[in-house]
Amino acid sequence: MTSETITADAAGTWRLGDTTVSRIGFGAMRLTGDAAFHLGSPSDRDRSIAVLRKAVGLGVNHIDTAAFYFSSLRSANELINRALAPYPDDLLIAGKVGPFRDWSGEWGTSARPEDLRGHVEENLRQLGRDHLDLVYLRRMEQESIAEHFGALAELRQAGLVRHLGISGIEPRHLAEAQTIAPVVSVQNRYGLGDHRPATEELLRLCGEQGIAFVPFYAIAGDSGPHGATTAHGEAVLAAARAHGTSPAQIRLAWTLARGPHVLAIPGTGNPGHLTENVAAGALRLTAEQLDSLNEAHVKAG
């Protein structure tokens, strides 16, 4: 079996809200350019559309996006709309609200609770939908998320949102949100070598409570919005050699091995990288490899 023939089903599935999704999904941030936001050159529109259609063709049915994912010429939501509408019934599109970029691309003041309806409606307009399957509240360093999450819970009651998640949080914020409305997913920065005690605790709590844990920058590492890291330790390189794969695929396989509730959302605008990312769902690391990678992960923190 080659990478070209491996589909997202190889990674297994998870029940996210009321939709069963493959554990390998797709992050839309990198669709708009060779780096996220305004940090690189805008993407080729036709190629980005082709990547989205290929992702769905490979069985990906979980796409993570946001209205603030845009470059000087491209909007991730518009590309998704153009490529995939009318949307397949089993496709879950997750958005996020809280951060704000103005028309020039500069970061503006984060949303107040009363602004969140407008943020949700902007995602709906761009995607051409009447509801969002899942919306994350991205915490912007506020101590309490109760008011903001409560505002999203009201939008859920109104039918604009079906399920709620939270992002960029600590364990106390999960507990706080759960007193207001059900949380189906947590999205934090996390990957091999990004060892933070609070996030490790969240990973554990989510597993115990049946909540999806959706890490971002799992491949990017320290490079963040600039793209995939090239700083691979010997444990990653040794596993890549043993499996005949790329280091990025090893990073994804390690991420998925952190628990059955962990869902990967690697993003790319490159069709070849998309195929490799999906194929990583079929990789099964040995116990010895996992021990070496886990040791490297803890040491890096």
Side-chain angles (χ1 to χ4, degrees):
M1 183 178 291
T2 66
S3 292
E4 290 290 340
T5 63
I6 297 173
T7 65
D9 293 341
T13 60
W14 181 261
R15 190 75 174 171
L16 186 53
D18 55 6
T19 303
T20 299
V21 300
S22 298
R23 292 180 62 216
I24 284 276
F26 182 84
M29 179 187 291
R30 294 290 304 283
L31 280 175
T32 65
D34 58 7
F37 310 126
H38 59 289
L39 300 175
S41 301
S43 63
D44 178 86
R45 188 168 184 272
D46 289 340
R47 187 166 98 149
S48 292
I49 288 171
V51 165
L52 281 162
R53 290 174 175 166
K54 183 173 184 178
V56 171
L58 288 171
V60 171
N61 63 347
H62 171 205
I63 294 177
D64 182 87
T65 188
F68 53 86
Y69 287 174
F70 64 88
S71 65
S72 58
L73 297 179
R74 306 280 176 257
S75 156
N77 282 352
E78 186 276 331
L79 291 166
I80 292 168
N81 189 344
R82 176 67 181 85
L84 302 179
Y87 300 105
D89 291 340
D90 67 342
L91 177 65
L92 184 146
I93 298 179
K96 59 189 69 68
V97 295
F100 172 74
R101 294 173 70 208
D102 65 22
W103 59 270
S104 69
E106 294 302 313
W107 293 100
T109 302
S110 302
R112 299 180 298 273
E114 61 268 25
D115 297 329
L116 291 178
R117 184 183 185 104
H119 282 219
V120 167
E121 289 177 343
E122 181 61 19
N123 278 281
L124 293 175
R125 280 190 292 270
Q126 293 176 4
L127 290 166
R129 306 196 74 179
D130 59 7
H131 73 275
L132 293 175
D133 301 317
L134 167 61
V135 172
Y136 291 95
L137 172 67
R138 171 66 61 80
R139 184 177 76 97
M140 301 301 290
E141 298 184 358
Q142 64 264 44
E143 285 298 310
S144 169
I145 62 171
E147 282 192 84
H148 288 77
F149 194 73
L152 285 186
E154 291 177 4
L155 298 182
R156 176 174 170 265
Q157 290 293 325
L160 293 181
V161 175
R162 290 175 68 179
H163 300 287
L164 299 177
I166 41 182
S167 176
I169 64 160
E170 298 176 6
R172 61 191 173 87
H173 301 112
L174 174 59
E176 183 180 38
Q178 288 173 311
T179 66
I180 299 168
V183 176
V184 303
S185 186
V186 168
Q187 187 179 104
N188 268 29
R189 182 170 185 159
Y190 185 70
L192 182 60
D194 189 358
H195 183 270
R196 309 179 197 197
T199 305
E200 299 290 343
E201 176 67 4
L202 269 174
L203 176 67
R204 184 187 66 80
L205 289 170
C206 286
E208 290 179 353
Q209 299 176 29
I211 297 170
F213 184 82
V214 186
F216 61 89
Y217 295 156
I219 295 178
D222 291 342
S223 297
H226 294 278
T229 184
T230 57
H232 304 296
E234 181 52 34
V236 173
L237 296 175
R241 289 192 297 268
H243 288 274
T245 62
S246 69
Q249 288 175 296
I250 297 299
R251 287 177 173 273
L252 280 176
W254 177 87
T255 300
L256 292 171
R258 300 301 281 171
H261 64 299
V262 178
L263 311 180
I265 49 168
T268 183
N270 182 307
H273 291 167
L274 169 68
T275 300
E276 290 184 359
N277 291 344
V278 171
L283 277 176
R284 299 294 182 265
L285 300 170
T286 67
E288 292 78 13
Q289 289 165 348
L290 283 171
D291 286 344
S292 295
L293 292 166
N294 291 340
E295 183 180 355
H297 174 64
V298 172
K299 284 183 177 179

